[in-house]
Amino acid sequence: MNDRMEREIRRTIQLLQASMPEPRNRQTPVFTLLRIAAGEINGGLLLGLFAGALIFGLLSVRALSMPMLTIFCTAPMPMLLLFHRYVLACSERMRELEATFPYSYPEMLAARSVVISCCMFGALLLLSVTLHVSAGEAFLRLALCGAVPGIYLCTLLLFLSARLRNLEGLSLLAIVFWAALCFLVTVLPFDRLLQLCSTAAYAALAVIGLILYGILVHNVQQRREHYDMAYIG
């Protein structure tokens, strides 16, 4: 009887060990991570954000007659809301759930950030075309002006999401901060500064931001987190 119980105990231990997360020696293919992250995005929500950005942009440019300021303030909003919905609002649950997956939380964080960035650039292109037609501002200049704040904000949010353990309130803080900043730049003569800045300067800022963002995505995706059953429980 004792031998039988010992065999059963060993068998149970082996089964538990087989189901426990183990340090991974290989990377999950990037396209697999991107496919999973893209599948999480709700199409209705994405279309709603695109429509909201377009409507808000049109109303703002008609009220303020400042297309550069309008796209500077409006373009990052879809990214901020998507980051809140798919990263910051459920970060702790994702960490616990993905502890048992064949890919890690940092890998999925990087993939989600890239997918959200692509959605942001899609909204930016639609907004740039709309404001170009309605306000007559150069399309490339509008697109670059809207891309600069979005790139740097996305980089900052990804950095904080990868570094901070407790992200409660971070998304709300980011949205409140951006709303306050938009109010200040509307009140202050910030539009004149945007007008004086050359297209080449916008392009240089965007390229530098993309380089920093790419380096950060790569570093986050390469990170490893080793989980144990005490943490999961």
Side-chain angles (χ1 to χ4, degrees), residues 162-213:
R163 296 290 178 180
L164 299 181
R165 194 68 187 179
N166 186 3
L167 298 176
E168 291 183 5
L170 177 60
S171 56
L172 179 61
L173 179 63
I175 293 174
V176 170
F177 167 77
W178 188 247
L181 181 61
C182 290
F183 174 76
L184 288 177
V185 299
T186 303
V187 174
L188 299 174
F190 190 72
D191 182 66
R192 181 170 177 80
L193 177 61
L194 294 177
Q195 292 288 350
L196 291 175
C197 191
S198 66
T199 304
Y202 285 125
L205 288 172
V207 169
I208 293 172
L210 285 174
I211 293 173
L212 294 175
Y213 180 62

Side-chain angles (χ1 to χ4, degrees), residues 18 21-22 27 33 39 49 71 75 83 106 112 127 129 145 150 171 179 197 214 220-221:
E22 298 179 356
Q27 256 183 324
L33 298 171
L49 290 177
I71 199 166
F83 229 97
R112 288 184 178 106
L127 187 60
V129 170
C145 180
S171 56
C197 191
V220 170
Q221 198 264 342

Side-chain angles (χ1 to χ4, degrees), residues 4-18:
R4 182 180 177 184
M5 289 181 63
E6 186 176 351
R7 286 197 301 270
E8 289 298 325
I9 291 173
R10 288 180 179 176
R11 181 173 177 273
T12 303
I13 292 174
Q14 290 174 354
L15 291 173
L16 289 174
Q17 288 176 339

Side-chain angles (χ1 to χ4, degrees), residues 7 73 80 87 117 155 163 169 176:
R7 286 197 301 270
C73 295
L80 288 173
V87 177
S117 301
T155 302
R163 296 290 178 180
V176 170

Side-chain angles (χ1 to χ4, degrees), residues 60-87:
S60 298
V61 79
R62 288 184 179 180
L64 301 174
S65 298
M66 300 176 181
M68 297 291 288
L69 182 63
T70 296
I71 199 166
F72 183 90
C73 295
T74 307
M77 292 309 297
M79 180 273 296
L80 288 173
L81 294 173
L82 288 173
F83 229 97
H84 167 75
R85 171 65 179 83
Y86 292 104
V87 177

